[in-house]
């Protein structure tokens, strides 16, 4: 399960007020839109780059049921998303998670490499075992 850093100031941030005003929604709904975008981006746009996604995909990620283009324009106008479709300050909010995932990937690679080497060593050791002196009792 992934996590993302959400500051206690998001609820009363000027960008959140602006987003609520532009979209004509309640402030808590604006917070929900932003947090939904961030949590979706953790797995779908890990680098914070939304440019490869159509507006409808981003709107769905935010659970926005109205015009997708309106949402994108509002997110940009209020500063949550840049004009080139980057999540503003993504590295600040998701940087720790991205670093942690990279460390876990490296550790997993190292464990797998060690496991493969151990299996290869065991196979090579088994092929060197001679059965020339083994006798079989066929009287039983």
């Amino acid at each position: 399960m992934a996590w993302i850093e959400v500051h206690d100031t998001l609820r009363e941030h000027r960008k959140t007020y602006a987003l609520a005003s532009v979209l004509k929604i309640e402030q808590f709904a604006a917070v929900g839109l932003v947090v939904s975008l961030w949590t979706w981006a953790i797995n779908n746009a890990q680098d914070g780059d939304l440019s490869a996604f159509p507006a409808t995909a981003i709107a769905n990620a935010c659970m926005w049921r109205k015009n997708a283009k309106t949402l994108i324009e509002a997110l940009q106008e209020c500063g949550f998303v840049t004009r080139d479709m980057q999540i503003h300050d993504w590295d600040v909010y998701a940087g720790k998670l991205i670093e942690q995932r990279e460390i876990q990937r490296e550790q997993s690679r190292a464990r797998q490499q060690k496991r493969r080497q151990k299996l290869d060593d065991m196979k090579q050791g088994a092929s060197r075992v001679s059965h020339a002196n083994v006798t079989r009792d066929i009287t039983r």
Side-chain angles (χ1 to χ4, degrees):
M1 178 185 303
W3 52 267
I4 188 162
E5 186 173 335
V6 177
H7 292 219
D8 60 341
T9 57
L10 177 63
R11 190 172 58 121
E12 267 110 30
H13 196 280
R14 63 177 173 73
K15 290 181 187 180
T16 307
Y17 285 129
L19 186 62
S21 177
V22 169
L23 293 175
K24 297 176 179 57
I25 59 175
E26 296 285 337
Q27 184 181 345
F28 69 85
V31 171
L33 287 171
V34 173
V35 172
S36 293
L37 175 65
W38 291 345
T39 56
W40 172 83
I42 288 172
N43 293 312
N44 296 282
Q46 291 182 13
D47 58 359
D49 183 1
L50 304 175
S51 63
F53 299 95
T56 54
I58 297 167
N60 286 336
C62 295
M63 295 182 261
W64 179 254
R65 302 296 175 238
K66 298 177 184 176
N67 186 294
K69 186 177 177 190
T70 300
L71 173 66
I72 300 302
E73 289 171 355
L75 288 167
Q76 290 174 327
E77 179 182 331
C78 298
F80 284 110
V81 175
T82 64
R83 294 289 172 204
D84 61 345
M85 295 301 292
Q86 305 294 313
I87 298 175
H88 180 71
D89 282 345
W90 183 245
D91 57 329
V92 172
Y93 298 104
K96 292 176 189 173
L97 173 65
I98 293 166
E99 289 173 17
Q100 182 184 29
R101 283 184 172 178
E102 184 57 35
I103 289 168
Q104 288 172 342
R105 277 193 290 273
E106 285 300 320
Q107 289 173 341
S108 180
R109 278 188 214 118
R111 278 192 306 273
Q112 285 297 323
Q113 181 61 32
K114 189 175 180 178
R115 182 178 169 274
R116 284 188 199 109
Q117 185 62 48
K118 186 176 179 179
L119 288 172
D120 286 346
D121 290 348
M122 287 172 56
K123 286 179 186 176
Q124 289 176 3
S127 66
R128 290 188 209 129
V129 174
S130 172
H131 298 287
N133 295 331
V134 176
T135 59
R136 194 166 170 197
D137 184 3
I138 56 172
T139 60
R140 290 185 188 198

